[in-house]
Amino acid sequence: MNLLRTKSIEQSIADADEPGRKLKRSLSTWDLMIMGVAVAVGAGIFSVGAKAAANFAGPAVTLSFAIAAVTCALAIMCYAEFATAIPVAGSAYVFTYATMGELLAWIIGWNLILELFTAAAVIAKYWGIYLSKVFALTGLDIPPAIPLGGVDLYWGAFLIVAIFTVLLVLGTKLSARVGNVFTLIKIAVVLFVIVVGFTYVKFENYTPFVPAAEPTGGTGAADVLKQSFFGFLTGAAPAQYGTMGIFAGAALVFFAFIGFDVVATSAEEVKNPQKTLPRGIFGGLALVTLLYILVSLALTGMVSYTQLAEAKSPTLTTAFEAVGDTSAAKVIAFGSLVGLTTVIMVLLMGLSRVVLAMSRDGLLPRALSKTSDKRSTPVRLQVICGAAVALVAGLTNVDLLEEMINIGTLSAFVVVSLGILVLRKKRPDLKPAFRVPFGKVLPIVSAVLCLYLMTNLAVETWIFFAFWLVLGLAIYFAYGQRHSRLNERFAEANASVNGASGAAPRKAAEPEDEDELSRT
């Protein structure tokens, strides 16, 4: 059993053209840029920044956003280099398979499923809640959940997931066009919030810019589970604010940047990926970062962070209510609803593409990778993903696992950043259209930053993550390792080399297989 066997880049590209399992290239630079903005600018822009300012960083939450943006940008550079070298669906999973071997590729693919599935379910549930708030603002009292037996059924989650599952089945280009319209609307809403917010700014609210660190006052088991993993390892008492608060805030607001790795999963559906992918990804990231920093400056300038901390769940609405502008709540509620809409669409697409790539390789059932002859979309898989997300979002308390989204993303970022160094060493002959500058320095810095942000997530998040990894390894050794197509190729090649007795002569292994064997 060789757990470090790698899949050649040539084989990955060849598998992407397998009849009945291939996707259609239809996305442009504009589509990718809007896709990145669509998945990043959601309700998080109205809530995550407020929580980070209130509980971790104070006015320095702007620095938290900047740190998260730099970390994301460094990792996305590595994604862009990989994606232009291996322009197929699967993102970090495919990149890891080509550089670090099947076992680690499975772990990364499993973590991507965690990130995308959890994010889609959490956000679908919030969409239904925000929809009820919008109804309430118009005078209609429609509860977000309906009692069903012993559980609450969040009907809005079923509705929105069903709509976008149908759109994605009909075609990636069609769903992208719908997403473009919603994205432009929510950018307009965000700009409105920024402009109005700055009219209430008082510069004294920016001081102290970095509040002095202070203990949270808790010492019980619950407080230990909620503190950062880094604080737990170093023996520090649970605390907030100060320099460590800025980094804890960065770990939290990093949630607002997830999705740019999802854009990379669409590499197989992009026209001229060598040029389109880098332009689309970096253009979207630049716009999102600018919007986030402006929103955080408006937020912390409108009210003191101590006022935000007094609220149970602080949001931008909290700030506008504090300055007496309750009418802005309607705009924010509408903006949150529109913002969440496109996020769900992109996450559902990304989830199906990662599972498609893993099933093509046999690590998950091959039947899942079938695509429609007419529309070149994974109809069966998209419906399965949509149904699973809808059930979890509509029937469970999935929002308890919000931070699992961040740890899944960051773990993939760490591996992709280091994978670039392995790729360059293994395949110096490759000439990707985009290359991370400054040699080995930036990929290493990216890996270190992502790993450090991971340690700033809560102890309980790491515990849940450990359980997820154990479950993933159990599935791999019970099913994936035995059904792997690469495993079958190795077995056939070994049988040919060893000249198995009684076996009919077999043609020589393909160049890709010989290359894979030599590397492991």
Side-chain angles (χ1 to χ4, degrees), residues 71 74-75 78 413-414 416-422 424 436-452:
T71 303
L74 291 174
C78 299
F413 279 14
V414 170
V416 169
S417 299
L418 296 177
I420 281 295
L421 304 180
V422 179
R424 291 175 180 176
V436 182
F438 302 110
K440 300 178 180 179
V441 176
L442 291 188
I444 292 174
V445 171
S446 173
V448 171
L449 276 175
C450 290
L451 186 60
Y452 180 65

Side-chain angles (χ1 to χ4, degrees), residues 5-8 11 486 489-490 511-520:
R5 58 192 174 209
T6 58
K7 181 179 178 181
S8 72
Q11 188 62 51
L486 191 57
R489 292 190 185 107
F490 268 71
E512 299 91 68
D513 298 333
E514 294 174 351
D515 185 45
E516 289 159 355
L517 284 168
S518 67
R519 291 177 193 169
T520 55

Side-chain angles (χ1 to χ4, degrees), residues 254-269:
F254 191 82
F255 172 80
F257 288 93
I258 70 160
F260 287 98
D261 58 324
V262 179
V263 177
T265 68
S266 65
E268 196 175 318
E269 297 167 89

